[in-house]
Amino acid sequence: MTTITARPQQAANWKDQLNRPSVALIVGLAYIVCAVFLAEVTDRSSLWYPLANMIAVPIFFIAPLVVVSLNITRWLKIALLVIMLGLIMPIIGVANPTYLEIAIQVSIFAGLALGLNIVVGFAGLLDLGYVAFFAVGAYLWAVFTSPVDTVFMINGWTLPGEAFFIMIAIGVFGAAFVGILLGLPVLRLRGDYLAIVTLGFGEVVRMLVRNLDSPINFTNGAQGLYGVGSPPLPGFAIGFTTTIASAFGIRVDNPDAIAGQLMFYVIAIITLLVIILVCSRLKDSPIGRAWTAIREDEVAALAMGVPLVRMKLLAFASGAAFAGAIGVIYASKQTFIDPESFVLLQSISILAMVIVGGMGNIKGVILGAMIITIVDLSTLSNLSLQFNNFRNAGMLDIPPALEPAKYQPLVFGLILVLMMLFRPAGLLPEKSRKLELQAEKEDPLALPTEEPLEDAVLVDTSTPEER
Amino acid sequence: MLLEVNNLVKSFGGIRAVRDVSIGIQENSISAIIGPNGAGKTTFFNLLTGIYKPDSGTVTFDGKSLLGLRPDQVNKAGISRTFQSIRLFGNMTVLENVMVGMHTRLNISLWRTIIRPPSFGRQEEHVRQRATDLLRFVGLAGKGDELSRNLPYGDQRRIEIARALASDPKLILLDEPTAGMNPQESEEAMSLFRKIRDEVGVTVVLIEHDMRVVMGISEHIDVLDYGQKIAEGTPDEIRSNPQVIEAYLGKRASGTGSNAEANDDSAA
Amino acid sequence: MSTDTLMPERSGLLSPITSSPTWIRFSHTALYRYVIFPLGQIFVFVVGAALLLTVISYVIAFLFPEPRENINLVTQLNRQLPGMIISGISIGFVYAMIALGYTLVYGVLKFINFAHSEIFMVGSVSAFAILSFIGSLGGLEGWNPILLVVVTVALSAVLSGLLAVGIERVAYKPLRRAPRLVPLITAIGISYILQDVVRAIASLTINDFNLTYPTRDLDWIRNPILTLTFGEYDVRVRTTSVIIIIAAIIMLLALNYFVNGTKSGRGIRAISMDQTTAGLMGIPVNLMISLTFFIGGAFGGAAGALFGLNVGNVTPYIGFFPGLKAFTAAVLGGIGNITGALLGGILIGMIESFLNGILVYFPAVGIRYTDIITFGILIAVLIFRPSGLLGERVDEKV
């Protein structure tokens, strides 16, 4: 067996670079500059605004991740994060609610990506229908709180917003249950077949949701459910908003709406933090090791006593549970959901986040979620705006049909293909994962033998005499 | 009799891989199963450990039947194994490989993994400690944090053995554990097998091709050829058994029946 | 890829005939092996599927005689049966041709080419472009229909085939040794790229992505080519259905000859069984793989062109559902097995056609459930019989 020397130097390099004081200082300054920019500069028609925005937004949002990677004491890290997420973000959000929206979306999709990461990254099961669990959570909350006359509305009574947090728990268990139901028949299938079956399931769930509006109206079909309930706004939220607004001289037209967004921001961040905690605890435990063993070599794991079906179901159910909880939050925030929110593209997007960021690696997955969400929500539209500004200023004239914002699927596809060709293990791969996904490429002559070629082949020196 | 196998039969399509094999293994012994390549030895192990289902026959271990059990259930019942082609979890560290082996003996609970009561930490510490002890036992002390795929071949075999011992088995099945080893490594392996029997009290069954190892440590040998058991007995008995010699070296060789041939490596 | 089911030896029932010397001589002639036997096989599949579905339908009709007021299911069935069968055959052949693309690539590389559905779409869009171009040269009316169809389908097929080869070279070949997850994701990415590129080109050139075929208003397309009379009922057979059936049969015969009767075809089969050894035996592996992709892509593209002619307008997004259904067909028949793709396609086409015909009368259900049922079949096959109807089971050696 040819021994492959790992390349620890390269993997650790960027982290070392990051921890050099000069670099950390530059990053910190950049963050502050971007934060100020996002808060103060709002004139979208100013010529270079979109480009500057395109650069500032990613820096601003990825900065917390950078802080986590720094080599500083834990307390300092926590303090910095609290300031960044708990103080600076809300202030910027009040000044410009668009960024609050981005923050919420990033948190939601990071949570989803982490859930899928348990299935794909930890246990190695390719699930292309993950969005179905998301839909379960969302619709569970929506059918009971929407004023639409579905079968769940008894005598015009809907669930009050206070039930939100209980419903999150119900969403967790409901989605986990569906996960087990789906997993049972399916988990003994091999890689690509599992992928296709889960894809089929995801589509079936979506089509069922779209069609279950007659003869009995379960889901209101393609029209979706509007007026989805929200948790009650805490009293201090509006006060908080107006205080910030007056303290920084920001004009706020609709404090209620912004307070509502702030509340969802807090809910989303806290949920994300809980998910991160649960994921890291799962990873560093006998369960996590069992999953890695299954991913590496199922048969050997089985022979070593790892109950395959139970462990795979556990992975499936855990991932589903996260999606269920987040589904409730999502439905509540959007106040309107329909089957189109749960198409295949969503499952693939979430998968892309896991892959781009680094399968199995919690930080990597969050980074992947940030990148894909920011590209989707900010970068492409900014690019379009920039071209627009160029055109208005008489500089570059790019026809409207070539507007980048319209090319989201193309960009997405390119990201997937390029990542797979050049960095299949993701941007922040687990050290071992990098070797796992690349070793085959480095060693095209590796014969699948066990006999080492260096150690002499058979045990020895004496040979049977020729007769 | 710790393990009693009676009239085991397994066919794949038209090929009868194991035909009416009956083997008995005594507790606290080191036994070997030998035979030319393709004789059905690994298939036999796979049948014992639940990877294949036998067409007919019985397998009784420690008084209980193993028929119909899944491999992980067989492991839990007390039988562990290594593989002919090393099947380590290459991208996990050496220590982690051994820790996985302990899975069946642990209290695995999703709740406790998430909530982390003190008992969880205590169990993790125990797992780590035992894995470290096992590594020391097989001679790999200090290598726990290396990536297992980076270790040389001989060490990888040891990791597999440590991993198999982690589940606290009563019986350990080693499939060609000394393949690819030089004479010195084989000697070390042999004393490790003896250590396993004597210090840990685990019964050892080997599939082996290296006759020096087989003759050197086995108390009892079963010989398979073309899926059938053709002989069993002590090393001396097997050495001079004409059918065994014929199976390995061909009809002409059995005519001379000299000890020298049987001592050499099998002409596989 | 097992093609030995195409060989005639497995007919136990007919042994008195099959063991006679004249038969043995005849059964080895090229005419038999490459024309009569495959035609017979197609015929058997079609008739068998039609019979099966007919029986099931009448059973349902007897169980639910009046699913809606004033609707007698049996009478409706009587009237619609021939139409359902014919459209089942034509859509079935389309699915079979797409399925061939999936199964050929899977047989050779053990890889599901997710982007194949977009190759189908590109075929239909190419046909649109070709027809529009020809039309702009001076109208389509004057053209000989057969010539027009042949040129369009052939060109679309070639273009799609080349596109498939290009994708393979650029995106799949570097990943041949990577774990299966990686090329699968790549294929998904290519799917989205193709969809968006086609949309972009369409919106840049004609400012619309709903592409209506200029042939839609031609006389010979709109008027049924023949009208069959069954008792009191008339069945109008569309020209495009006949075109699809004839084109598909010709291409299937050609494929059968290629795979079983030519050196390259044998090369491809060898690679699908053991790539390394085939390479060691002197077979140019990369060339054969490219050839496989070309053929698969050509079939997909031809299917796209025929589909477009039949339906009349296409969009960049028409690839997804037919692709998934064709994949279901390939899996149902036994992925990797060419005959299986044919059988699966015909079955899925028939099932869809019959479901569409019958479910209309069940107001609670409606035809919206046709797709759900088809996917249900996919899931059921993968769970209960992943090797499909004609496939082989492969066990892992421990």
Side-chain angles (χ1 to χ4, degrees):
Chain A
M1 150 133 38
T2 44
T3 33
I4 300 167
T5 34
R7 294 181 283 187
Q9 288 83 9
Q10 278 193 13
N13 246 355
W14 69 267
K15 258 202 166 178
D16 288 337
Q17 298 282 32
L18 199 56
N19 279 306
R20 282 165 44 196
S22 45
V23 175
L25 204 58
I26 294 178
V27 172
L29 273 171
Y31 172 74
I32 296 178
V33 165
C34 292
V36 169
F37 171 80
L38 290 178
E40 295 295 310
V41 181
T42 48
D43 182 9
R44 289 156 60 95
S45 53
S46 117
L47 183 62
W48 291 105
Y49 170 83
L51 197 61
N53 201 358
M54 220 168 80
I55 299 176
V57 166
I59 294 181
F60 177 75
F61 280 98
I62 297 183
L65 263 190
V66 172
V67 165
V68 169
S69 311
L70 289 178
N71 216 349
I72 50 182
T73 68
R74 208 147 147 252
W75 294 117
L76 190 53
K77 260 189 222 183
I78 294 182
L80 277 176
L81 283 174
V82 167
I83 295 178
M84 290 166 90
L85 296 176
L87 200 55
I88 302 188
M89 184 68 234
I91 296 175
I92 296 198
V94 170
N96 197 339
T98 325
Y99 301 120
L100 202 54
E101 171 72 18
I102 296 182
I104 299 177
Q105 295 277 359
V106 166
S107 309
I108 286 182
F109 280 103
L112 284 173
L114 281 172
L116 184 60
N117 184 44
I118 294 182
V119 180
V120 175
F122 289 170
L125 308 166
L126 188 50
D127 183 358
L128 290 184
Y130 186 66
V131 82
F133 305 127
F134 186 43
V136 165
Y139 266 89
L140 258 179
W141 176 244
V143 292
F144 283 111
T145 59
S146 165
V148 169
D149 191 11
T150 62
V151 72
F152 298 104
M153 189 152 115
I154 311 166
N155 289 334
W157 174 84
T158 58
L159 217 51
E162 283 79 1
F164 180 75
F165 299 100
I166 305 178
M167 189 52 91
I168 290 190
I170 299 182
V172 163
F173 289 107
F177 176 71
V178 173
I180 294 180
L181 225 55
L182 165 63
L184 270 172
V186 140
L187 284 175
R188 49 198 179 78
L189 292 179
R190 225 183 47 207
D192 351 7
Y193 284 359
L194 180 64
I196 303 289
V197 170
T198 49
L199 191 157
F201 257 121
E203 281 295 283
V204 166
V205 165
R206 181 183 65 83
M207 291 192 289
L208 277 177
V209 162
R210 207 176 62 168
N211 288 322
L212 281 174
D213 55 349
S214 67
I216 307 175
N217 190 356
F218 285 105
T219 62
N220 210 29
Q223 296 172 316
L225 295 163
Y226 63 88
V228 178
S230 300
L233 202 56
F236 65 85
I238 303 184
F240 180 71
T241 314
T242 43
T243 317
I244 293 187
S246 49
F248 287 87
I250 309 168
R251 214 193 80 204
V252 166
D253 300 317
N254 196 348
D256 284 7
I258 296 188
Q261 284 284 75
L262 275 177
M263 176 186 68
F264 276 114
Y265 170 72
V266 170
I267 295 177
I269 290 274
I270 293 184
T271 310
L272 180 62
L273 288 174
V274 168
I275 292 180
I276 294 177
L277 184 68
V278 171
C279 275
S280 57
R281 286 191 169 176
L282 280 173
K283 187 169 178 185
D284 193 15
S285 74
I287 295 181
R289 290 192 293 270
W291 282 339
T292 313
I294 293 178
R295 203 178 71 212
E296 292 269 330
D297 188 339
E298 252 186 39
V299 175
L302 190 60
M304 291 305 119
V306 174
L308 283 189
V309 174
R310 206 180 316 156
M311 286 290 128
K312 287 183 179 180
L313 274 180
L314 196 56
F316 236 63
S318 306
F322 289 167
I326 297 180
V328 174
I329 299 176
Y330 178 79
S332 175
K333 175 191 131 6
Q334 300 284 113
T335 67
F336 168 76
I337 57 166
D338 67 344
E340 286 314 295
S341 323
F342 308 109
V343 289
L344 177 63
L345 182 58
Q346 281 284 42
S347 288
I348 308 271
S349 301
I350 303 174
L351 181 64
M353 295 174 197
V354 173
I355 289 176
V356 163
M359 250 191 299
N361 181 346
I362 293 178
K363 234 189 303 175
V365 167
I366 298 179
L367 178 64
M370 280 184 188
I371 291 178
I372 302 254
T373 311
I374 290 178
V375 165
D376 203 10
L377 291 179
S378 161
T379 314
L380 285 180
S381 42
N382 268 331
L383 210 50
S384 289
L385 204 57
Q386 185 66 62
F387 288 161
N388 213 17
N389 286 359
F390 280 157
R391 205 181 315 126
N392 290 341
M395 289 169 64
L396 221 47
D397 192 8
I398 298 181
L402 282 180
E403 241 185 64
K406 295 189 182 151
Y407 287 80
Q408 193 244 342
L410 177 65
V411 169
F412 184 61
L414 275 173
I415 291 179
L416 284 179
V417 174
L418 291 173
M419 285 298 300
M420 287 298 104
L421 282 176
F422 299 114
R423 274 197 89 113
L427 291 172
L428 293 182
E430 288 183 309
K431 189 167 57 187
S432 52
R433 254 333 178 64
K434 197 166 172 183
L435 295 173
E436 183 182 327
L437 284 164
Q438 284 189 337
E440 329 236 12
K441 287 162 70 177
E442 288 167 8
D443 206 354
L445 293 177
L447 302 167
T449 58
E450 327 44 319
E451 314 303 320
L453 300 175
E454 301 91 60
D455 302 351
V457 179
L458 259 217
V459 178
D460 43 62
T461 55
S462 62
T463 50
E465 289 167 29
E466 281 300 305
R467 294 249 135 217
Chain B
M1 217 31 94
L2 179 63
L3 176 70
E4 248 188 85
V5 180
N6 282 318
N7 311 106
L8 204 60
V9 175
K10 178 68 179 174
S11 303
F12 295 105
I15 303 175
R16 285 159 52 213
V18 173
R19 299 193 260 172
D20 203 26
V21 169
S22 302
I23 289 182
I25 305 288
Q26 295 279 15
E27 190 154 4
N28 234 306
S29 65
I30 301 183
S31 318
I33 300 185
I34 66 175
N37 269 334
K41 311 185 291 293
T42 301
T43 311
F44 179 70
F45 270 12
N46 289 342
L47 286 165
L48 288 183
T49 51
I51 293 181
Y52 298 149
K53 286 206 184 349
D55 297 331
S56 66
T58 64
V59 180
T60 316
F61 176 71
D62 208 16
K64 291 183 290 255
S65 166
L66 291 183
L67 290 181
L69 288 186
R70 286 188 325 252
D72 55 299
Q73 293 167 317
V74 170
N75 182 296
K76 195 162 184 161
I79 301 184
S80 198
R81 73 171 291 175
T82 65
F83 291 91
Q84 188 175 3
S85 52
I86 301 180
R87 292 182 90 130
L88 284 181
F89 306 122
N91 291 303
M92 295 174 88
T93 66
V94 173
L95 196 69
E96 283 170 345
N97 265 272
V98 180
M99 295 203 286
V100 172
M102 290 182 68
H103 192 99
T104 27
R105 302 296 166 213
L106 300 178
N107 184 341
I108 312 267
S109 143
L110 180 65
W111 181 249
R112 286 170 60 227
T113 303
I114 297 179
I115 301 295
R116 299 274 166 124
S119 56
F120 180 86
R122 282 198 296 268
Q123 182 174 265
E124 278 295 277
E125 188 43 48
H126 163 73
V127 169
R128 226 160 242 286
Q129 189 54 53
R130 181 162 154 81
T132 315
D133 293 339
L134 279 169
L135 284 180
R136 197 178 315 123
F137 180 79
V138 300
L140 288 174
K143 299 202 182 163
D145 288 325
E146 301 248 359
L147 220 54
S148 54
R149 75 191 301 172
N150 288 342
L151 258 55
Y153 185 77
D155 284 356
Q156 288 189 345
R157 286 241 176 248
R158 290 176 207 248
I159 303 175
E160 255 209 326
I161 294 178
R163 185 179 69 176
L165 287 173
S167 63
D168 227 351
K170 293 205 190 83
L171 172 66
I172 188 171
L173 305 173
L174 304 173
D175 200 339
E176 299 196 30
T178 66
M181 286 188 182
N182 60 43
Q184 192 216 335
E185 286 173 328
S186 300
E187 280 298 327
E188 289 170 5
M190 283 164 64
S191 56
L192 177 60
F193 302 152
R194 287 196 197 96
K195 248 193 359 172
I196 294 177
R197 176 194 57 195
D198 301 331
E199 287 179 38
V200 189
V202 174
T203 308
V204 177
V205 177
L206 315 158
I207 291 179
E208 250 312 332
H209 276 302
D210 183 349
M211 284 307 145
R212 221 191 324 253
V213 171
V214 173
M215 298 301 167
I217 56 165
S218 319
E219 300 160 33
H220 176 93
I221 303 176
D222 291 277
V223 188
L224 297 182
D225 190 21
Y226 286 112
Q228 282 178 306
K229 186 170 87 173
I230 59 173
E232 70 169 296
T234 66
D236 284 324
E237 290 167 359
I238 294 298
R239 197 172 305 178
S240 46
N241 184 315
Q243 277 163 301
V244 174
I245 299 175
E246 174 181 333
Y248 271 99
L249 297 178
K251 245 187 157 75
R252 272 178 62 208
S254 71
T256 58
S258 119
N259 281 350
E261 272 93 62
N263 264 337
D264 293 331
D265 301 301
S266 57
Chain C
M1 161 165 72
S2 76
T3 42
D4 32 315
T5 44
L6 285 173
M7 285 303 114
E9 285 80 38
R10 295 163 39 138
S11 34
L13 282 170
L14 305 168
S15 16
I17 306 179
T18 53
S19 39
S20 78
T22 19
W23 177 263
I24 294 181
R25 255 201 336 243
F26 176 63
S27 66
H28 283 78
T29 61
L31 178 67
Y32 178 80
R33 285 166 64 148
Y34 301 124
V35 177
I36 298 187
F37 183 81
L39 274 179
Q41 210 173 31
I42 296 176
F43 183 76
V44 165
F45 286 162
V46 167
V47 168
L51 271 174
L52 178 67
L53 266 305
T54 309
V55 165
I56 296 180
S57 313
Y58 276 104
V59 166
I60 295 181
F62 281 125
L63 289 176
F64 303 96
E66 239 191 56
R68 234 162 59 179
E69 280 180 22
N70 301 326
I71 301 279
N72 183 314
L73 196 53
V74 178
T75 357
Q76 295 296 344
L77 258 189
N78 290 342
R79 203 181 67 182
Q80 290 189 246
L81 202 59
M84 289 200 289
I85 292 181
I86 294 178
S87 77
I89 299 178
S90 70
I91 196 70
F93 275 133
V94 169
Y95 288 154
M97 287 168 66
I98 308 175
L100 276 172
Y102 284 116
T103 227
L104 281 168
V105 167
Y106 189 85
V108 165
L109 285 182
K110 301 293 177 282
F111 159 63
I112 301 176
N113 185 7
F114 211 85
H116 187 59
S117 51
E118 310 317 321
I119 307 262
F120 161 79
M121 179 271 291
V122 166
S124 64
V125 170
S126 308
F128 166 79
I130 293 168
L131 285 169
S132 303
F133 176 69
I134 296 179
S136 71
L137 290 180
L140 293 170
E141 293 79 12
W143 281 74
N144 178 337
I146 298 182
L147 188 60
L148 194 62
V149 166
V150 165
V151 163
T152 309
V153 171
L155 271 179
S156 306
V158 167
L159 278 170
S160 306
L162 289 175
L163 177 65
V165 173
I167 293 176
E168 194 265 327
R169 279 295 158 96
V170 166
Y172 298 155
K173 183 153 167 243
L175 301 176
R176 253 187 229 159
R177 260 172 274 274
R180 278 222 204 79
L181 171 64
V182 176
L184 191 66
I185 308 264
T186 312
I188 294 177
I190 302 251
S191 239
Y192 285 115
I193 294 178
L194 283 175
Q195 278 178 10
D196 218 26
V197 165
V198 170
R199 178 201 59 80
I201 295 179
S203 61
L204 282 173
T205 50
I206 63 172
N207 209 19
D208 188 8
F209 62 76
N210 196 337
L211 312 168
T212 310
Y213 274 46
T215 51
R216 217 158 64 153
D217 297 319
L218 287 178
D219 276 339
W220 54 268
I221 290 264
R222 290 174 65 191
N223 297 336
I225 195 170
L226 53 117
T227 311
L228 309 168
T229 316
F230 292 88
E232 320 136 24
Y233 308 125
D234 277 344
V235 177
R236 283 178 251 282
V237 179
R238 305 183 58 198
T239 319
T240 45
S241 303
V242 173
I243 294 176
I244 292 178
I245 295 176
I246 295 180
I249 291 183
I250 294 177
M251 292 181 76
L252 288 167
L253 289 181
L255 179 70
N256 178 41
Y257 173 67
F258 173 77
V259 165
N260 289 312
T262 64
K263 200 167 91 171
S264 311
R266 280 195 294 274
I268 292 181
R269 280 163 62 203
I271 293 178
S272 74
M273 288 183 220
D274 187 338
Q275 202 180 77
T276 327
T277 310
L280 291 173
M281 293 295 117
I283 297 176
V285 172
N286 286 334
L287 187 61
M288 290 292 121
I289 291 181
S290 294
L291 190 56
T292 310
F293 270 89
F294 178 79
I295 297 175
F299 267 88
L306 291 168
F307 179 81
L309 277 171
N310 195 20
V311 169
N313 74 330
V314 298
T315 73
Y317 308 108
I318 55 154
F320 181 67
F321 276 105
L324 211 44
K325 288 178 196 166
F327 180 74
T328 307
V331 169
L332 178 62
I335 191 124
N337 185 323
I338 295 179
T339 322
L342 174 64
L343 175 61
I346 293 176
L347 270 174
I348 294 284
M350 282 283 181
I351 292 176
E352 182 175 302
S353 173
F354 272 69
L355 274 178
N356 277 336
I358 295 178
L359 285 182
V360 168
Y361 300 110
F362 288 82
V365 181
I367 59 169
R368 309 170 299 184
Y369 282 82
T370 307
D371 286 345
I372 296 184
I373 295 179
T374 310
F375 289 149
I377 295 178
L378 172 66
I379 294 172
V381 171
L382 283 176
I383 291 178
F384 296 113
R385 211 195 144 99
S387 53
L389 292 171
L390 299 180
E392 312 141 355
R393 317 202 54 172
V394 184
D395 280 315
E396 183 188 355
K397 177 160 172 42
V398 177

